[in-house]
Amino acid sequence: MILDVLFPNRCLNCNRITDANLLVCNLCFDQIHFTHFNFPGENGLKEKCKLLFPVENAYALMQFEKENLSRKIIHDLKYRSREKAGKIIAEWVTEYIDFKDEKPDLLVSVPLHPKKQKERGYNQLHLFTESLSKFYSIPFDHQLIQRNHYSKAQALKDKQHRMEAGNNFSLTKNISGRHILLIDDVFTTGNTLATISWEILNGGNNKVSILVMAMDE
């Protein structure tokens, strides 16, 4: 309580003091550019994914435009030790998605390399994925996919290097006949998600759907 008084939670956008369980104040919330995509259904993200790999469904919660509020939110989650932001963003997702008859069997988030995770102290997708798992009663597996090579942050790479994922990911166990919801923070080129999806698809008679917090232009 004393810390809350000395270091109150502030809105990421306007810096107003706000509730500790909020990322942005109520006045700034309307500035978040939500996509309002349908899951399942056709949308811009699904069209992009279909050009790269067979996808069942795809959903992006926000638009990741230059200098917009969603960019601040994702940056805060990834680089400012605001792991709890993942839980808040998951709550936003649950307000928009009803899986209905397209409910996946397993939630899998894009992994960090162990060295990168040690440097950051956490994987920004874990609490997000676990919160969704609890709400939708879908199991998750943080160990199914492993990242084989350490690399610098995607945000620091140019577009050409982001296209070069190579053999950066592999399955740690055999899976077959499963519908996997693959989770990431931002869809940019789609190369990372495509590489992991092909690993899952080639590993057995599996299906892949995609969920990202935000979708780049």
Side-chain angles (χ1 to χ4, degrees):
M1 295 294 292
I2 295 177
L3 289 178
D4 291 339
V5 174
L6 296 176
F7 305 101
N9 186 54
R10 293 184 178 275
C11 172
L12 290 178
N13 194 47
C14 69
N15 209 39
R16 291 187 183 94
I17 294 175
T18 188
D19 189 280
N21 295 318
L22 298 178
L23 292 177
V24 296
C25 68
N26 292 328
L27 292 175
C28 291
F29 186 80
D30 289 340
Q31 297 182 37
I32 300 174
H33 190 174
F34 291 106
T35 65
H36 302 289
F37 287 164
N38 291 321
F39 188 107
E42 299 298 318
N43 57 63
L45 178 60
K46 185 174 181 180
E47 290 302 312
K48 289 187 175 185
C49 289
K50 285 164 65 175
L51 297 174
L52 301 171
F53 57 91
V55 64
E56 294 298 309
N57 295 291
Y59 180 85
L61 177 67
M62 301 176 285
Q63 292 286 355
F64 196 67
E65 299 161 341
K66 187 176 181 180
E67 303 303 326
N68 76 348
L69 186 49
S70 66
R71 188 176 290 266
K72 291 181 182 179
I73 291 169
I74 300 298
H75 190 276
D76 197 69
L77 170 66
K78 294 180 69 171
Y79 303 117
R80 294 184 179 175
S81 300
R82 286 283 294 271
E83 185 180 10
K84 72 173 185 179
K87 182 177 181 180
I88 297 171
I89 299 171
E91 291 173 355
W92 296 347
V93 169
T94 62
E95 295 176 6
Y96 287 98
I97 290 184
D98 180 356
F99 288 116
K100 297 180 181 178
D101 296 331
E102 299 289 334
K103 188 174 180 178
D105 301 313
L106 186 66
L107 307 183
V108 176
S109 56
V110 172
L112 294 174
H113 188 274
K115 181 179 178 181
K116 177 67 67 62
Q117 185 162 329
K118 184 176 180 180
E119 290 174 354
R120 189 172 293 174
Y122 65 97
N123 183 321
Q124 74 275 9
L125 296 174
H126 280 182
L127 188 55
F128 176 74
T129 301
E130 291 161 16
S131 298
L132 294 175
S133 171
K134 182 177 181 180
F135 182 85
Y136 291 113
S137 298
I138 303 172
F140 65 88
D141 189 339
H142 292 326
Q143 283 74 49
L144 178 64
I145 303 292
Q146 69 178 12
R147 188 183 289 262
N148 299 322
H149 307 292
Y150 176 83
S151 62
K152 62 185 179 180
Q154 287 285 84
L156 301 179
K157 299 179 182 179
D158 58 33
K159 184 173 181 179
Q160 179 178 353
H161 286 90
R162 290 200 301 267
M163 293 291 289
E164 299 170 357
N167 297 318
N168 203 21
F169 300 95
S170 58
L171 293 176
T172 62
K173 63 188 78 171
N174 294 325
I175 56 169
S176 182
R178 309 296 297 278
H179 181 187
I180 308 298
L181 182 63
L182 184 58
I183 297 171
D184 203 0
D185 45 30
V186 180
F187 183 99
T188 50
T189 64
N191 196 49
T192 293
L193 291 171
T195 301
I196 297 174
S197 294
W198 280 115
E199 288 291 325
I200 294 171
L201 293 168
N202 291 333
N205 184 29
N206 300 304
K207 299 188 295 184
V208 174
S209 289
I210 300 297
L211 170 62
V212 294
M213 297 177 182
M215 173 182 170
D216 209 347
E217 295 176 310

